[in-house]
Structure formats: C-alpha cells, structure tokens
Amino acid sequence: MGKPLSTLVFLLLFINCVYSWKKDEFRNCNQTPFCKRARSRKPGSCSLIAADVSISDGDLVAKLIPKESSQENPAKPLVLTISAYQDGVMRLKIDEDQTLAPPRKKRFEVPDVIVPEFLNKKLWLQRLKEERIEGGLVISSVVYLSEGYEGVIRHDPFEVFVRESGENGKKVLSLNSNGLFDFEQLKENKEDNEDWEEKFRTHTDKRPYGPQSISFDVSFYDADFPTKGPGVDDSEPYRLFNLDVFEYAHDSPFGLYGSVPFMTSHGKSRGSSGFFWLNAAEMQIDVFSPGWNNEYSSVLMLPTDQKRVDTLWMSEAGVVDAFFFIGPKPKDVVRQYTSVTGTSALPQSFAIAYHQCRWNYRDEEDVYNVDAKFDEHDIPYDVLWLDIEHTDGKRYFTWDKMLFPNPEEMQNKLAAKGRRMVTIVDPHIKRDESYYIHKEASEKGYYVKDSSGKDFDGWCWSGSSSYIDMVNPEIRSWWAEKFSYENYVGSTPSLYIWNDMNEPSVFNGPEVSMPRDALHHGDVEHRELHNAYGYYFHMATAEGLVKRNDGKDRPFVLSRAFFPGSQRYGAVWTGDNSADWDHLRVSVPMTLTLGLTGISFSGADIGGFFGNPDTELLVRWYQLGAYYPFFRGHAHHDTKRREPWLFGERNTELMREAIHIRYMLLPYFYTLFREANATGIPVIRPLWMEFPSDEKTFSNDEAFMVGNGLLVQGIYTQRAKHVSVYLPGDESWYDMKSGSAYKGRAIHKLEALEDSIPSFQRAGTIIPRKDRFRRSSTQMEYDPYTLVIALNSSKSAEGELYVDDGKTFEFQQGSYIHRRFTFSNGRLTSSNAGPATAGDHKYVSECTVERIILLGLSTQPKTALIEPENRKVDITWGPLLLRGGPGPSVLTIRKPNVRIADDWTIQIL
Ligand SMILES: *[C@@H]1O[C@H](CO)[C@@H](O)[C@H](O)[C@H]1NC(C)=O
Ligand SMILES: *[C@@H]1O[C@H](CO)[C@@H](O)[C@H](O)[C@H]1NC(C)=O
C-alpha cells in the first residue's frame, strides 16, 4: 500500500511496476475457496447465539449455538472461552466441542509461540455481571478485565467486545459486531456432490478433512488513521501466507516471506489498541472503507457515536485463539503483544554492526580480498557472509573443497581482527544417500511426508530435496546438534548462521511452496501450520548455536520466514528486494511494521538484492540503512560487484561516512536493543509511537525514530534538491551534524545534502556514542564514550546507556552496567539504572567518557567541575567536531575522563 498502514501491522509488500513478478503463480482470493466464501457472506448472516454463559475455572465460558437449530437436526455447539490477563490483555478461544463425539481430527493449535510467563499472568475471573441492554431485550455478560476496562459477551446475536467500564462505556475492540462470524466444523463424511479436492494450476490438494475455515469481523474504535486498502489491486485482501516471491512488488497486498496476524490501530482521542490471532494457516484480511456496510445498518445496530474501522479475518484452518490488547498508548500495545509472544532476544554486539554479504563471495581468496579492502579503505565492518555456493553441491554443513579448502583458518584470520563469518543453512536437504544429513533424516523418519505418507520430495537449490519436520521437538533437538563443532566440520566459534528459503520454498510446489496436504508430526497437515514452518526452523537453528557453546553465548541467526515469536530467535530481513528507489522507500514502513509486531531486529538489503543500483541510490541506501536495526549489504549473483570502494573516491567516502555514523551510534543502538529485549518496544519506531497525539505523524512513514532520541528522514528520489521533514512535538530538534536547532511541530524544507540524510536529536535527550573509528565493533570495546546532550526548553535532558559483555547470557544474572544520565540546573548526573548489586556476576568496565557535547545552551560557562573528585576540566566553545557544514557554537567538555561505571556529577560553571 502506498501509505502503508501505520495502522495495519502485518507484513505487507508492495508492487507497482515490477513486471517480473509472476502474479499468476500465486492464488488470489477468488481462487481460494475459503476466502471467496467468507467474502460472499452478508453482514448479519451469523446466526449464533451465546448460551450457558458462566464462570468456570476462572474463565468465562459459553456455548455458541445456532438460533434456529431444529430438534431433528441439532447443530453441534462451539465452545467459547474468555480469559483475562494482567496488563490489559483479553484472550478469546473458540473451538469445536471436544466433549461430544470423539473428534475425527483435533484442530491445530500452534504450540511454542505463547511464552510460559504469559500464562502465569492469568487473572482468575470470579464474577459475572448481567446487563440488559437495548430496552431490556438483549442480555450480555460482563467481566472485569483491568482498571477501567471490561470484557463483554452479548448473547443474541453473539458479539464479544472490550469497552471502557460501565454500561455506557465506549467500545475499544469488538468481534462479530458485523455478524460475519463463521466456523466450518469438520465433517465426518463428504455430503453428496461435495468435492473436497482443490486444484490450482497443475497441483491438486486432496483436502482429506474437507472445509474447515474460520472467518470473523473485528472492529477497531476511535481509530484516526486513514485506512487505505491495498494499493494496486483494491479487490484483494491482505494475504498472510509465507511465500518465496521472486522479485516481489513493492506495493501489493499479496503474501510474502513472513506473517504476523496482528493489527494495531491508533487514534488521537483514545490512543491505540491491538488484535492478534494466533493461527498458522493461510490467512486473508480485509480492511473495509467507511460506509461499506451501510445497507445493513438496520440489522446490525452498530453504535453510531464512535468512529470505527471494520476488518474481516479469514483463515483456512485452526481454531480461534485471539488476543485483544487494550493499549491505550502505542507502546502499551507492543508491550502487551510481546507479553504474549515474547520480546526480542538481545543480540551479540557484533550483530548490530555492519554486515557484508553477496551471493557469492567465491572462494577464500575473494574473502581475504574483500576483508583487506575494507581495511585499506578505512571502512569498518563486522561480518562477512557466504551464500549457498560455499557448500559442496548445496549440501548444508559442508564446504566446497576446491573453493574453501581451509574454512577454519579463514574464519580464524578474520576473527583475529574481531570479525565473524556467517554461512547459509536452508531447510531443503539434498536427497543423496552419501550425504550424512539426508541419510540420518531419512532413516529416522525426520522428513515431512507427502499426502501418501512417503517422504515429501520437492525441487530446490539442491535438486531433489526433502524437508526436515521442524515442528517435532525431538527433530529440532537433533537438528540443533548438527551445529556442534564436531558435527559441523569447518565451523569455529566465530561462525554464525543464516536461514533462507524457510517459508518453505519448493520450486516445483504449489505457489513455490509445500503442498497443503503434506503431513507433519502428529498428523498435522501442512495447511494448518504453514506460516509457522520457518519459525520452527529458525528456532531449531538458534538452539543449535546456543548448544554448541554449552549455552554460554548468544546465537545469531538471520531468517527470511517469520511468525509471531520469531523475535526470540534472531533477526529477519525483508527478503529479495530490488535496486530501485521504490524499494528503498518501502524498506522503512516494512521495518517499522516488523518492529510493531515485536520483531525489532530487521532490515532490508542495502542496495537492493536484484538489479544494479546506480551509485546515488546505493549511497542513499547506505545513509538510510545505517539506521536499520539490521544493517547488511547484499546482492544477487547476476549483479555487478558493489562493495563500497568500487565507485570512485568521493562515493567511497560517502559510504564510509554512512557506515561510520552507525559505528558511532553503536552504544545507543545497543542500549535500544536492550530496551526492546526488556520491554518489547522496538529499536526504530514510527513517529506516532513517540508522539501519539500529534496527528501529523499518523501517516508519516518516510521518517522514523531511532529510540526516543533520533529522528531520521530518508531521501527517496534521485537528484533531490530539497527534502521536507516534519519535526513533531513542541520542543526543538538539533541537526545531528551541525548542531543547528529546528522548531518542533513544523515542516522544514531543507537542502538535500550529498553527504547525509537529515537526522535530528530530540531536545531533552542524551545520546551515548563512541566516536573513534576502528576496523570492527569488537575493537571498540574499550574505547571512551562521547555523550551528546540536547537541552529542551527547561534546559534539561535525560538518557541511558546499557553495556554488558556483548556476547554471553551473563546479563540475565544482572551482569551489566545500566546508567541513567540526567541534566538539569547546569548539572549532569550519572546514576545507576540497573540492579543495585549483581553479586559475583558484576560486569566491570574501565571505559570512560572522553567528551560531552551540550546542544542548546544559551550561556557560555567557563569551566566544569567534576564531583565527587572536585576536579576542574576544560571546556571549549565552537562548532561541532563532527564533519559537516557550519553550525552554531556548542559547548564541549573535554576529557572529563569519568568512568561510565561510576556515579558522578559534572557541574558547568
Ligand atoms: C532477553 O533476551 C534473552 C536472550 O538474549 C532472553 O532469554 C530473554 O528472555 C529476553 N527477555 C528479557 C526480558 O530479558
Ligand atoms: C525537558 O527534559 C526533561 C528530561 O527529559 C523532562 O523531565 C522535562 O519534562 C522536559 N521539559 C519539557 C518542557 O519538555
């Protein structure tokens, strides 16, 4: 969508004028029976009513039965359960009644996504209040959810909603208000004339269990966002179905590599709310434009005093397991969502620095050359990647012996400079009897089966291949063992992993994926868990990297496919994008959207994977990409080489400068990654997350916040002369390079500079940096810090710094330094923001602060006094040292040399 959804938060991807995208290979809604069926239903057509509503085991339970179920033909009821959890989360489950006749098949509920701690947050519902509404005709049952909010089930017709407390409380979120709920129960047998098979192109899906889809409408209240439907083809819903789409479009609602069925809405008056459906089958979601249901308004009795956005959710299989998040602030919604699915893992510190990738660095010599060139050109980087060609015939965990005869030596040489390597490991396993992985997997029966019960055999990079059944924990554990140093010959502790093609991609399968009637462990059909397949593969791989070091070191695994919870296992990227300005532009809403779904550690391939970026585009991409949480350059093997030194001296300088900015900001980024780990709040954020009541931010997805302190505006057009930036809020902003101040709540038309994209520090914040340049982040470990203080109108500011060993899990025992810096009344104070004592596990650091820059000071102090040492230090007054144009004079405190681990204050006099 052109203006994607700050509101709609699942991954959306995008086309306009990309012709190579083979649209016909993929199903549209009309070719997808459950989608077509759900969309043909009329509002108000659901005839289910809630009966036997009661409290049982701390939950509200009810039966859903058809209003007119005849005696001769009694319909099977559905069972509904509502539970409340701490911090404003309501969960709704609806499934078939398992206590009736033994079910033919248990419908699939996705395991391993909800974190165990969430279940401990359950509130024990005790009281059910009955209300008669609409003139006493309609009964509803009400339960307490959290301070100020109630969960309500209206009985006839059934509707579930969250409202502000009290009979006339405003609605926040509701389900089935438009009466579109539909649940196809599994049937014992085909009815006459019923054909369960589905055909698409040359593929037949046997559908042995027949139709089993679920659909319902969800309404979001008081949402202000301009909800715009899909961009290109307005007739298509958003499709959540993990697919390997070759040369994807930048502006289309079709499915891509990952799916997170979570939507958030935001409005100025009330704030934010969110809805999440835990379901791994194919899903389609419609967002209706206002007035879509006008002709049904008499049947529906919808409240007219509240603005509303209606949506329709449709899934091919599974159960209803839905979560309502009350908000009311945007950050509350992410916090609530990640309390269910987990916050992101804290990466090792090298992983948030710059990664250099290409399909393929050909051989060891190529690797050594590229590595040396980075040094020669004074460009830092941390990780060099090897794509599929490094293997022996696409047999993962092996090396091409001609091209990479000494992989350990190669890794060790790079490790000596503090650098790491990454190799690719995909889920398709070459069916070759002499390949040990295949041999073991086939002997142990660890492959996904086809509908006839044989090992599923599909075509991928490795030719005829089978796919490990990662849904089975035993198999995951076997897989994890493959990463031990003994098993993965040629691997060393500085080698990390990349999981690609895990949607899964099957070149000759329906829609380039696995047939839906393929079978997994426990007789689960692939259709039921398709969207979670890549998630399990990512999980198993991350477990492998943890195990190989006896659980000491944090893993690093990049995955292309993702699902709710992927944030716990590593990074994801936006897949195979293209070298054009539209893809540069769309990389921002894509990474922001991922962040809103808890997947903070993401980025787009710098330069675009397909095609050759012109130099200007590549430079602009580095300038923007330096702020992606995951920062990697990558390219297709048919593209020209594009390492940063290949475009002439001036362009090398520009790309070096962009990468340097990222390295300077690493302490700030790492602090933000820890915040994401502790709270779920993403590293980069849409402006409205920081400024939820400033309407001008609501549809702005060209600019974004890095943490709460930096605003970055991309430049998305060629030869741009000017760039307009909206700076939100009432306080000022300081240009990161010049230190010049700009007014808030205003659009500024700036000259587009060649050497950087606009970035501003928000008044009232303090940002920690490390300004000395090294070859890799590892070599910066002991470097001193720079603190940049941007004063607000009350001449105050605050900020944080989080530091740990950057490598192990020790931080979970309190082994870290977490400081809070506050500046007010001319005094900077550093105090502990972490645990009071960490006992034996205390992390120690001798690092000091070498420079403090104060932006926005109107007086000219003479000196600075450090307490408790009572030591005076020099200050200077002059333009910012950071390369850039002329700017105002700012105050710099030189060499205060205070240790970051200590408490101290610095008073300017
Ligand atoms: C933080 O990350 C670690 C792994 O790096 C994970 O085990 C932990 O659950 C995460 N969350 C919190 C709140 O620490
Ligand atoms: C200025 O910043 C301080 C510290 O962040 C904050 O407490 C204060 O409210 C801010 N003042 C204004 C006017 O925003």
Side-chain angles (χ1 to χ4, degrees):
M1 26 193 54
K3 278 269 176 261
L5 335 197
S6 309
T7 9
L8 301 179
V9 183
F10 22 82
L11 195 59
L12 309 162
L13 307 179
F14 303 95
I15 200 179
N16 248 354
C17 38
V18 175
Y19 300 107
S20 44
W21 178 43
K22 298 194 184 62
K23 194 170 166 179
D24 293 346
E25 273 184 20
F26 302 99
R27 304 210 299 195
N28 62 28
C29 179
N30 266 335
Q31 295 161 326
T32 306
F34 77 86
C35 188
K36 191 172 172 185
R37 169 191 154 94
R39 278 182 142 199
S40 67
R41 290 168 58 82
K42 303 270 177 293
S45 59
C46 170
S47 69
L48 295 175
I49 60 171
D52 303 341
V53 183
S54 66
I55 295 283
S56 161
D57 280 345
D59 295 326
L60 178 154
V61 293
K63 292 217 152 84
L64 295 180
I65 52 173
K67 194 162 188 172
E68 271 121 44
S69 154
S70 66
Q71 293 273 273
E72 315 83 76
N73 197 2
K76 284 194 291 173
L78 294 166
V79 178
L80 171 150
T81 313
I82 290 176
S83 333
Y85 293 82
Q86 281 163 29
D87 312 324
V89 182
M90 181 174 95
R91 181 177 188 182
L92 168 71
K93 292 186 82 167
I94 302 175
D95 194 0
E96 299 186 28
D97 189 344
Q98 310 291 343
T99 62
L100 298 176
R104 177 155 170 256
K105 178 178 194 328
K106 190 160 170 8
R107 300 176 73 110
F108 183 64
E109 290 186 45
V110 195
D112 313 302
V113 168
I114 299 176
V115 293
E117 304 87 79
F118 175 72
L119 301 175
N120 300 333
K121 294 186 183 160
K122 191 173 133 162
L123 301 173
W124 211 249
L125 298 179
Q126 313 217 319
R127 267 184 345 116
L128 197 61
K129 202 167 65 182
E130 284 226 325
E131 260 172 32
R132 288 189 162 269
I133 49 174
E134 286 155 34
L137 294 174
V138 181
I139 302 179
S140 54
S141 309
V142 183
V143 289
Y144 169 89
L145 278 186
S146 75
E147 187 64 41
Y149 293 96
E150 291 168 329
V152 183
I153 176 165
R154 169 194 165 123
H155 295 194
D156 179 11
F158 110 86
E159 178 193 14
V160 172
F161 57 93
V162 171
R163 69 170 186 208
E164 291 174 2
S165 298
E167 249 175 72
N168 300 313
K170 284 186 156 186
K171 283 187 175 177
V172 177
L173 287 163
S174 67
L175 184 140
N176 203 34
S177 309
N178 282 290
L180 288 169
F181 182 89
D182 182 41
F183 192 119
E184 295 185 288
Q185 302 208 31
L186 289 166
K187 292 186 202 157
E188 285 306 315
N189 298 302
K190 275 189 208 142
E191 278 160 35
D192 298 343
N193 308 328
E194 215 179 1
D195 184 6
W196 284 357
E197 282 189 359
E198 267 178 33
K199 292 196 169 55
F200 179 66
R201 290 164 69 100
T202 56
H203 298 277
T204 302
D205 170 2
K206 295 213 180 72
R207 291 217 306 171
Y209 299 98
Q212 45 183 303
S213 73
I214 301 175
S215 54
F216 50 78
D217 56 280
V218 177
S219 302
F220 296 82
Y221 295 80
D222 296 318
D224 275 341
F225 274 1
T227 6
K228 197 165 161 255
V232 189
D233 192 343
D234 271 304
S235 62
E236 282 300 308
Y238 295 105
R239 184 177 189 204
L240 277 69
F241 192 60
N242 293 2
L243 291 175
D244 178 7
V245 181
F246 179 76
E247 298 197 345
Y248 67 77
H250 79 274
D251 189 8
S252 131
F254 286 88
L256 254 192
Y257 316 99
S259 302
V260 182
F262 169 49
M263 204 182 279
T264 185
S265 100
H266 181 70
K268 189 178 172 173
S269 59
R270 181 187 167 272
S272 299
S273 61
F275 179 83
F276 165 49
W277 184 7
L278 176 53
N279 184 305
E282 174 175 5
M283 200 182 288
Q284 303 259 7
I285 303 174
D286 265 316
V287 178
F288 297 117
S289 34
W292 69 281
N293 55 358
N294 277 352
E295 58 177 300
Y296 301 94
S297 52
S298 57
V299 213
L300 294 173
M301 295 179 297
L302 290 163
T304 50
D305 56 336
Q306 271 185 284
K307 272 195 281 187
R308 202 181 68 239
V309 174
D310 293 329
T311 59
L312 174 62
W313 299 58
M314 309 162 256
S315 172
E316 189 186 2
V319 299
V320 178
D321 191 1
F323 298 79
F324 297 69
F325 305 111
I326 293 173
K329 292 226 162 62
K331 288 182 185 174
D332 295 328
V333 175
V334 207
R335 238 193 308 265
Q336 286 153 0
Y337 170 76
T338 53
S339 77
V340 178
T341 60
T343 59
S344 43
L346 183 63
Q348 289 201 33
S349 47
F350 81 84
I352 70 170
Y354 178 63
H355 299 255
Q356 180 66 36
C357 186
R358 175 174 181 87
W359 177 19
N360 216 87
Y361 287 120
R362 286 182 312 267
D363 50 24
E364 289 178 5
E365 194 190 334
D366 198 5
V367 166
Y368 290 131
N369 274 333
V370 171
D371 181 68
K373 288 278 184 196
F374 271 98
D375 293 339
E376 199 177 299
H377 293 278
D378 197 18
I379 302 172
Y381 90 99
D382 270 62
V383 195
L384 199 98
W385 292 51
L386 297 179
D387 208 322
I388 50 178
E389 313 299 336
H390 82 278
T391 58
D392 171 14
K394 319 292 184 309
R395 294 169 188 85
Y396 303 105
F397 305 101
T398 69
W399 302 84
D400 183 313
K401 296 231 162 48
M402 299 296 287
L403 304 175
F404 294 92
N406 302 302
E408 297 188 27
E409 187 187 328
M410 172 180 69
Q411 292 156 51
N412 291 336
K413 280 193 177 158
L414 266 59
K417 299 182 190 174
R419 292 178 178 147
R420 273 76 170 176
M421 293 195 73
V422 164
T423 51
I424 197 164
V425 173
D426 289 352
H428 47 263
I429 304 299
K430 190 174 179 67
R431 294 190 61 83
D432 164 6
E433 285 307 322
S434 63
Y435 177 31
Y436 70 104
I437 301 271
H438 170 66
K439 201 156 172 288
E440 277 180 52
S442 54
E443 276 167 16
K444 290 175 185 282
Y446 281 176
Y447 284 135
V448 180
K449 306 289 183 288
D450 65 20
S451 60
S452 71
K454 295 202 298 280
D455 285 350
F456 169 71
D457 184 345
W459 199 262
C460 205
W461 295 130
S462 42
S464 165
S465 306
S466 288
Y467 291 71
I468 308 283
D469 188 4
M470 288 298 168
V471 180
N472 183 343
E474 172 192 319
I475 303 178
R476 287 204 294 275
S477 171
W478 167 81
W479 179 256
E481 289 297 336
K482 300 295 165 232
F483 292 91
S484 72
Y485 301 117
E486 306 83 74
N487 287 338
Y488 187 175
V489 176
S491 70
T492 71
S494 65
L495 187 72
Y496 295 85
I497 303 297
W498 171 18
N499 288 161
D500 197 5
M501 314 297 279
N502 52 336
E503 293 74 26
S505 178
V506 181
F507 294 159
N508 60 347
E511 303 191 85
V512 202
S513 194
M514 193 173 271
R516 291 163 198 247
D517 53 9
L519 286 172
H520 293 264
H521 171 68
D523 277 336
V524 179
E525 283 191 286
H526 186 68
R527 86 182 72 251
E528 298 175 278
L529 59 75
H530 172 82
N531 285 343
Y533 181 83
Y535 166 74
Y536 283 109
F537 186 62
H538 194 191
M539 177 193 292
T541 305
E543 276 171 21
L545 293 198
V546 172
K547 269 193 191 172
R548 70 174 187 178
N549 287 317
D550 303 323
K552 283 205 210 55
D553 294 348
R554 292 172 234 164
F556 172 77
V557 183
L558 177 76
S559 171
R560 191 169 69 182
F562 55 86
F563 191 66
S566 290
Q567 64 269 22
R568 309 206 299 269
Y569 302 104
V572 309
W573 90 108
T574 62
D576 300 344
N577 59 353
S578 304
D580 61 55
W581 291 88
D582 286 334
H583 271 94
L584 172 68
R585 165 77 187 77
V586 83
S587 70
V588 170
M590 284 174 80
T591 40
L592 288 174
T593 301
L594 280 163
L596 291 171
T597 65
I599 303 177
S600 198
F601 196 10
S602 81
D605 284 342
I606 308 295
F609 178 69
F610 291 112
N612 295 304
D614 65 40
T615 310
E616 184 186 357
L617 173 61
L618 186 62
V619 168
R620 288 296 186 214
W621 215 316
Y622 270 100
Q623 290 171 343
L624 183 75
Y627 299 98
Y628 294 154
F630 175 61
F631 182 27
R632 181 182 77 153
H634 184 37
H636 190 273
H637 66 12
D638 291 342
T639 62
K640 296 196 200 102
R641 283 288 180 127
R642 60 166 87 139
E643 287 72 33
W645 49 85
L646 294 173
F647 303 86
E649 212 165 303
R650 175 61 182 151
N651 292 306
T652 305
E653 190 181 323
L654 294 172
M655 287 183 259
R656 174 197 301 127
E657 174 67 10
I659 297 174
H660 273 173
I661 296 260
R662 171 55 166 249
Y663 276 76
M664 280 173 39
L665 289 170
L666 284 175
Y668 180 56
F669 268 93
Y670 196 65
T671 302
L672 294 172
F673 271 92
R674 172 56 176 167
E675 183 185 355
N677 176 240
T679 67
I681 295 166
V683 171
I684 66 165
R685 308 163 187 177
L687 302 186
W688 54 269
M689 180 169 265
E690 289 295 331
F691 299 91
S693 52
D694 185 340
E695 268 164 304
K696 291 226 176 63
T697 64
F698 290 3
S699 56
N700 183 339
D701 55 13
E702 294 200 348
F704 57 94
M705 295 294 297
V706 179
N708 71 351
L710 270 188
L711 182 148
V712 176
Q713 166 75 48
I715 294 180
Y716 308 109
T717 51
Q718 199 160 22
R719 287 186 283 279
K721 292 244 166 357
H722 293 100
V723 53
S724 290
V725 189
Y726 177 67
L727 297 175
D730 298 320
E731 292 287 322
S732 338
W733 295 80
Y734 298 90
D735 182 306
M736 207 171 104
K737 291 204 130 180
S738 68
S740 303
Y742 289 84
K743 268 212 324 267
R745 219 173 279 281
I747 296 173
H748 299 274
K749 191 173 175 194
L750 308 171
E751 191 191 336
L753 303 174
E754 181 188 44
D755 66 356
S756 61
I757 54 173
S759 59
F760 298 89
Q761 185 172 344
R762 179 182 184 175
T765 62
I766 300 179
I767 291 184
R769 299 197 313 221
K770 281 192 175 183
D771 289 3
R772 299 188 183 186
F773 300 131
R774 306 283 183 189
R775 287 174 169 184
S776 66
S777 72
T778 322
Q779 298 187 338
M780 294 163 65
E781 188 176 350
Y782 304 109
D783 283 351
Y785 289 85
T786 293
L787 298 179
V788 186
I789 304 178
L791 298 178
N792 63 13
S793 55
S794 35
K795 299 292 170 216
S796 304
E798 64 186 16
E800 292 187 8
L801 172 67
Y802 172 84
V803 196
D804 61 20
D805 64 20
K807 188 171 173 60
T808 72
F809 287 103
E810 291 266 300
F811 73 100
Q812 291 181 299
Q813 271 78 53
S815 177
Y816 56 79
I817 293 172
H818 188 183
R819 307 300 298 179
R820 175 165 298 114
F821 304 115
T822 49
F823 187 94
S824 64
N825 301 319
R827 177 190 286 265
L828 174 66
T829 306
S830 169
S831 57
N832 188 15
T837 51
D840 301 343
H841 291 284
K842 202 169 159 59
Y843 171 70
V844 275
S845 167
E846 298 297 326
C847 284
T848 59
V849 177
E850 66 173 341
R851 185 183 305 119
I852 297 169
I853 297 168
L854 265 151
L855 304 170
L857 206 62
S858 41
T859 56
Q860 273 202 32
K862 302 269 174 304
T863 180
L865 179 69
I866 300 176
E867 304 276 16
E869 294 165 59
N870 200 17
R871 172 164 61 90
K872 283 199 172 155
V873 285
D874 283 352
I875 60 179
T876 57
W877 187 259
L880 264 187
L881 286 178
L882 197 58
R883 298 148 310 283
S889 282
V890 301
L891 178 87
T892 303
I893 303 175
R894 305 211 151 272
K895 304 206 172 62
N897 297 346
V898 283
R899 293 185 351 145
I900 53 131
D902 296 341
D903 289 347
W904 40 259
T905 63
I906 300 179
Q907 178 84 42
I908 49 172
L909 304 163

